[in-house]
Amino acid sequence: AQSVTQPDIHITVSEGASLELRCNYSYGATPYLFWYVQSPGQGLQLLLKYFSGDTLVQGIKGFEAEFKRSQSSFNLRKPSVHWSDAAEYFCAVGAHDYKLSFGAGTTVTVRA
Amino acid sequence: EADIYQTPRYLVIGTGKKITLECSQTMGHDKMYWYQQDPGMELHLIHYSYGVNSTEKGDLSSESTVSRIRTEHFPLTLESARPSHTSQYLCASSASSEQFFGPGTRLTVL
């Protein structure tokens, strides 16, 4: 069975600074990988996904993520954070049975 | 734009009441899912369906039940609510591995 670890429970970053959120997965085959964002009281919105091909994927809101098979990682990055990026971020891994396994999430706080 | 709806958004109810959380999608997706999410925790899959008249229990045991009589509708029912059922319930749908989420229902059982 697949699993996801997000090592950072909470990250605080200054507005305009860069952001990197870590995600490590465990899965025996080539995974489907996702990053979702959740604002308070809301559902999850897909930021980006990796199925195959180019290991650097671009998403919405200026986010990107890089798939590194050798490290079993799929870290999310943004060069310059905006106050509106304060939210909870979830990494997920999918298998061929269409089910997703989620990490525990990383809460991002943006300070002025 | 994903169109998946959940009602109610918030529900406060007393112990022992029967409740149904509604989930509908207009995308024609054959797969639908229910997740339970507690604060600061990951999402746990409690039910899923790969098509009409097909439902399965997820990885997290739940006392709730679901039905899938129509493609677009996937309601979740609790026959007798208890305080331990207090949580956020998220519904999702997909045509492939990418899942689209509704806004969630926050349930509080007193």
Side-chain angles (χ1 to χ4, degrees):
Chain A
Q2 65 268 33
S3 66
V4 175
T5 301
Q6 293 182 246
D8 305 304
I9 296 173
H10 190 195
I11 286 180
T12 298
V13 61
S14 298
E15 191 169 14
S18 63
L19 173 68
E20 181 168 17
L21 304 182
R22 295 183 292 165
C23 172
N24 294 97
Y25 68 90
S26 174
Y27 184 58
T30 300
Y32 301 140
L33 294 163
F34 306 84
W35 274 101
Y36 285 88
V37 61
Q38 184 180 35
S39 298
Q42 301 298 316
L44 276 67
Q45 181 184 19
L46 181 69
L47 285 175
L48 47 77
K49 60 191 177 188
Y50 172 78
F51 287 174
S52 65
D54 193 347
T55 57
L56 183 64
V57 294
Q58 301 298 321
I60 62 171
K61 304 186 180 187
F63 285 92
E64 66 178 25
E66 186 171 14
F67 170 58
K68 292 186 178 180
R69 185 187 302 274
S70 61
Q71 298 177 19
S72 297
S73 69
F74 189 56
N75 294 348
L76 181 72
R77 298 193 293 258
K78 184 169 184 177
S80 178
V81 169
H82 187 261
W83 64 266
S84 60
D85 293 322
E88 189 156 20
Y89 293 79
F90 291 93
C91 182
V93 60
H96 296 280
D97 60 359
Y98 306 108
K99 293 192 286 185
L100 297 182
S101 293
F102 286 84
T106 298
T107 300
V108 173
T109 298
V110 180
R111 59 176 175 232
Chain B
E1 185 72 26
D3 294 314
I4 179 164
Y5 308 98
Q6 290 186 246
T7 58
R9 291 293 313 280
Y10 303 91
L11 180 62
V12 181
I13 201 164
T15 296
K17 299 293 185 183
K18 177 180 178 179
I19 60 169
T20 297
L21 307 185
E22 302 288 349
C23 176
S24 295
Q25 51 97 5
T26 59
M27 296 169 284
H29 289 166
D30 54 351
K31 304 169 193 56
M32 296 189 74
Y33 313 81
W34 276 104
Y35 292 88
Q36 186 173 338
Q37 183 186 27
D38 294 313
M41 304 292 289
E42 65 263 48
L43 282 71
H44 291 286
L45 181 67
I46 51 174
H47 297 284
Y48 61 100
S49 167
Y50 287 166
V52 171
N53 295 324
S54 162
T55 62
E56 301 286 344
K57 289 191 178 294
D59 305 321
L60 180 68
S61 175
S62 173
E63 295 168 348
S64 58
T65 60
V66 292
S67 63
R68 189 88 184 276
I69 298 173
R70 304 197 316 266
T71 298
E72 63 271 22
H73 196 212
F74 192 40
L76 180 146
T77 298
L78 276 165
E79 290 293 332
S80 180
R82 294 206 301 268
S84 61
H85 296 140
T86 294
S87 189
Q88 172 150 269
Y89 293 84
L90 291 168
C91 181
S93 72
S94 74
S96 61
S97 291
E98 178 181 345
Q99 294 183 15
F100 296 88
F101 284 81
T105 293
R106 183 164 295 281
L107 173 66
T108 302
V109 183
L110 303 176

